[in-house]
């Protein structure tokens, strides 16, 4: 245990920006500063439990975040202790404080766990309900866009402003099956550094949607991607990548869809698995519509 005096306090927006900057290089996290405001719009400030661990000098040495949703669920993520301060008992202290309210409220808490950490979360904190799938974090590079091909789909891929929000929320719920999150869908699809696209069929019915966020100039994150099939997922993906983008694109897909991604982008991009993480819950793992689940919403915060 650490002899250092550590305080746990409510994190500020400045703390969030600091951890985003740090973890872009340290952990390769996929966050934008603007995510903070979107979380606030989606959940309300009273349902954002963002905590910072600080040493005696006031330096932030750890961070963790939890978002509460109306359906008595919570998503936990952005959990990190800086390397020089690990194995000193600081992490458990921060984690205990982070989840105490949600545990008392009986919430179903979800997180993504590195494979080497999954057992610890299960034994110490009760994250023993495992989803039927893992998440493969895909890094997609050298994307070659064919504008004539995209023009050909123009009537099939539209903006969210052309779709009734209620119908988009209903589609989201049909895929995720994790309870009420209408405010999240509304906020996420209007992300200030994002762009959303909705796929519709000939009858105007929603068959997919996706959101792309430019986290920094060399990293585009497309999350979520929910789609009726591989063809729809491919159209959404290619519609959201800028024509001359030379950076990396990340997608957080089910390991059951990884081969589909490699196959459908085979001729236009290079697809590699960066890592695989475990999907865990404390009460029950949601019965996701895995056939339409091509990518989760936010890997850093564990939002499916």
């Amino acid at each position: 245990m650490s002899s250092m005096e550590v305080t746990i306090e409510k994190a500020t927006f400045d703390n969030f920006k600091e951890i985003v900057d740090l973890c872009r290089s340290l952990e390769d996290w996929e966050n934008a500063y603007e995510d903070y405001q979107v979380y606030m719009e989606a959940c309300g400030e009273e349902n954002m439990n963002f905590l910072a661990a600080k040493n005696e000098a006031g330096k932030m040495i750890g961070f963790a975040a939890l978002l509460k949703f109306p359906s008595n669920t919570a998503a936990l993520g952005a959990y990190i202790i800086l390397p020089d301060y690990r194995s000193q008992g600081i992490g458990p202290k921060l984690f205990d404080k982070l989840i105490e309210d949600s545990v008392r409220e009986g919430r179903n808490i979800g997180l993504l766990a590195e494979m080497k950490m999954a057992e610890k979360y299960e034994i110490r904190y009760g994250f023993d309900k495992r989803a039927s799938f893992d998440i493969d974090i895909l890094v997609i590079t050298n994307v070659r866009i064919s504008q004539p091909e995209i023009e050909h789909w123009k009537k099939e891929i539209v903006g969210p402003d052309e779709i009734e929000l209620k119908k988009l929320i209903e589609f989201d719920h049909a895929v995720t099956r994790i309870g009420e999150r209408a405010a999240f869908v509304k906020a996420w699809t209007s992300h200030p550094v994002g762009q959303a696209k909705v796929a519709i069929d000939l009858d105007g019915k929603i068959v997919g949607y996706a959101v792309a966020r430019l986290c920094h100039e060399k990293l585009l994150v497309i999350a979520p991607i929910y789609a009726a099939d591989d063809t729809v997922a491919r159209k959404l993906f290619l519609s959201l990548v800028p024509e001359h983008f030379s950076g990396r694109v990340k997608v957080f897909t089910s390991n059951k869809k990884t081969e589909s991604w490699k196959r459908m982008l085979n001729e236009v991009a290079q697809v590699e698995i960066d890592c695989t993480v475990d999907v865990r819950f404390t009460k029950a793992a949601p019965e996701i519509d895995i056939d339409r689940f091509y990518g989760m919403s936010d890997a850093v915060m564990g939002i499916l």
Side-chain angles (χ1 to χ4, degrees):
M1 295 293 290
S2 173
S3 59
M4 178 193 312
E5 183 179 343
V6 176
T7 58
I8 307 296
E9 58 188 62
K10 183 176 177 61
T12 64
F13 177 50
D14 286 340
N15 293 147
F16 180 78
K17 290 194 295 183
E18 182 182 345
I19 210 69
V20 167
D21 286 340
L22 180 66
C23 289
R24 280 178 180 171
S25 56
L26 188 64
E27 299 286 344
D28 198 23
W29 281 5
E30 304 86 7
N31 271 117
Y33 295 156
E34 293 81 3
D35 291 346
Y36 188 91
Q37 180 61 37
V38 175
Y39 297 147
M40 190 174 294
E41 292 173 9
C43 299
E45 187 174 7
E46 68 279 9
N47 293 313
M48 291 172 61
N49 191 19
F50 283 31
L51 300 178
K54 296 184 179 181
N55 66 10
E56 303 100 318
K59 175 185 176 181
M60 185 169 63
I61 58 176
F63 187 92
L66 181 144
L67 295 172
K68 297 179 181 180
F69 290 91
S71 50
N72 209 36
T73 61
L76 185 159
Y79 175 45
I80 186 170
I81 303 298
L82 301 193
D84 289 346
Y85 299 90
R86 292 173 185 171
S87 301
Q88 300 180 44
I90 300 167
K93 181 179 180 180
L94 177 60
F95 201 97
D96 289 344
K97 184 67 175 176
L98 183 72
I99 67 172
E100 63 180 5
D101 286 347
S102 290
V103 170
R104 185 172 60 251
E105 293 163 1
R107 291 181 180 272
N108 185 23
I109 310 170
L111 57 69
L112 298 188
E114 295 179 18
M115 294 301 183
K116 64 183 180 181
M117 293 294 294
E119 187 176 356
K120 291 183 179 180
Y121 289 126
E122 177 177 339
I123 294 170
R124 183 180 175 98
Y125 298 107
F127 286 86
D128 57 355
K129 307 301 187 294
R130 187 174 181 179
S132 62
F133 57 90
D134 296 326
I135 291 294
D136 283 342
I137 297 181
L138 304 183
V139 176
I140 304 169
T141 54
N142 302 319
V143 182
R144 298 174 291 282
I145 303 297
S146 168
Q147 285 301 328
E149 184 181 12
I150 291 175
E151 283 294 317
H152 184 67
W153 317 323
K154 203 166 186 179
K155 293 182 179 179
E156 301 172 52
I157 307 295
V158 301
D161 56 330
E162 300 178 59
I163 298 295
E164 187 179 348
L165 178 61
K166 179 182 176 182
K167 292 181 178 179
L168 189 59
I169 291 167
E170 289 172 350
F171 180 85
D172 179 271
H173 179 72
V175 176
T176 60
R177 303 172 182 173
I178 53 178
E180 168 61 38
R181 65 176 205 169
F184 172 77
V185 175
K186 181 180 179 181
W188 204 248
T189 54
S190 56
H191 199 292
V193 294
Q195 181 183 23
K197 293 289 186 181
V198 182
I200 57 175
D201 63 15
L202 295 176
D203 297 321
K205 180 182 177 182
I206 296 174
V207 292
Y209 89 91
V211 179
R213 292 147 54 227
L214 191 63
C215 292
H216 56 81
E217 63 179 9
K218 291 296 184 181
L219 177 61
L220 181 72
V221 174
I222 302 183
I225 300 183
Y226 307 145
D229 54 36
D230 290 2
T231 299
V232 174
R234 182 179 185 275
K235 289 177 180 179
L236 285 167
F237 177 88
L238 292 176
S239 296
L240 285 166
V241 178
E243 185 175 3
H244 299 295
F245 185 68
S246 60
R248 298 175 301 152
V249 183
K250 282 195 174 185
V251 171
F252 316 123
T253 195
S254 153
N255 62 323
K256 300 178 186 295
K257 290 293 187 184
T258 298
E259 291 307 313
S260 294
W261 277 107
K262 290 180 178 180
R263 184 171 56 252
M264 64 188 175
L265 296 181
N266 178 54
E267 296 181 357
V268 297
Q270 182 176 345
V271 180
E272 297 180 349
I273 300 174
D274 181 49
C275 65
T276 300
V277 291
D278 206 348
V279 185
R280 295 287 184 125
F281 294 85
T282 54
K283 298 286 186 181
E287 296 296 327
I288 297 288
D289 182 350
I290 203 66
D291 291 334
R292 293 188 286 181
F293 186 79
Y294 284 82
M296 68 183 291
S297 298
D298 185 346
V300 173
M301 279 306 305
I303 303 172
L304 296 176

